[in-house]
C-alpha cells in the first residue's frame, strides 16, 4: 500500500481540495471545508452521511461556507468531479 493511500485530501461531499489532509490513516482531522461546510468525521463518515450533507448543500444553493475563499471562476461540476468514486 502506498503511503498516499493513507491520506485523503479531497472533500468527500463537494470535491474541494486545497486545505491539506482531511483524513489520515482513517481518522478524520476535523477540518471544515470552506466550500460546502462539511466537517470531516461529522458529515462525511458514511456514504449516507455524505449524500445527506450534499443534499443539504444543494438545498442551500451550493453556497460557499467561506465565500471569501470562493475562486472567481468557480465551476461546481468540475470541482465535484474530484469526489472519489466511492463517495458519489
Amino acid at each position: 500500500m502506498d503511503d498516499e493511500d493513507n491520506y485523503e485530501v479531497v472533500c468527500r461531499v463537494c470535491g474541494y481540495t486545497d486545505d491539506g489532509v482531511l483524513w489520515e490513516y482513517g481518522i478524520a482531522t476535523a477540518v471544515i471545508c470552506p466550500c460546502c461546510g462539511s466537517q470531516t468525521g461529522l458529515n462525511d463518515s458514511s456514504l449516507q452521511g455524505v449524500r445527506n450533507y450534499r443534499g443539504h448543500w444543494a438545498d442551500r444553493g451550493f453556497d460557499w461556507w467561506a465565500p471569501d475563499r470562493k475562486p472567481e471562476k468557480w465551476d461546481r461540476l468540475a470541482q465535484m468531479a474530484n469526489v472519489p468514486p466511492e463517495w458519489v
Side-chain angles (χ1 to χ4, degrees):
M1 175 184 274
D2 290 336
D3 199 40
E4 66 186 37
D5 291 337
N6 296 312
Y7 301 97
E8 287 184 49
V9 296
V10 176
C11 177
R12 295 173 176 181
V13 174
C14 71
Y16 179 83
T17 184
D18 200 25
D19 271 6
V21 177
L22 304 176
W23 286 82
E24 185 172 8
Y25 293 94
I27 299 170
T29 57
V31 170
I32 296 176
C33 177
C35 180
C36 68
S38 173
Q39 180 176 337
T40 56
L42 182 62
N43 308 109
D44 67 349
S45 57
S46 70
L47 182 57
Q48 190 61 49
V50 167
R51 290 177 174 170
N52 287 344
Y53 197 85
R54 192 178 292 136
H56 172 70
W57 181 50
D59 288 345
R60 291 189 340 248
F62 302 102
D63 285 341
W64 273 62
W65 186 79
D68 58 315
R69 303 270 308 270
K70 182 179 180 181
E72 189 173 316
K73 295 183 180 184
W74 179 59
D75 184 334
R76 175 179 50 88
L77 296 179
Q79 178 179 298
M80 290 185 72
N82 295 327
V83 174
E86 62 270 25
W87 298 105
V88 175

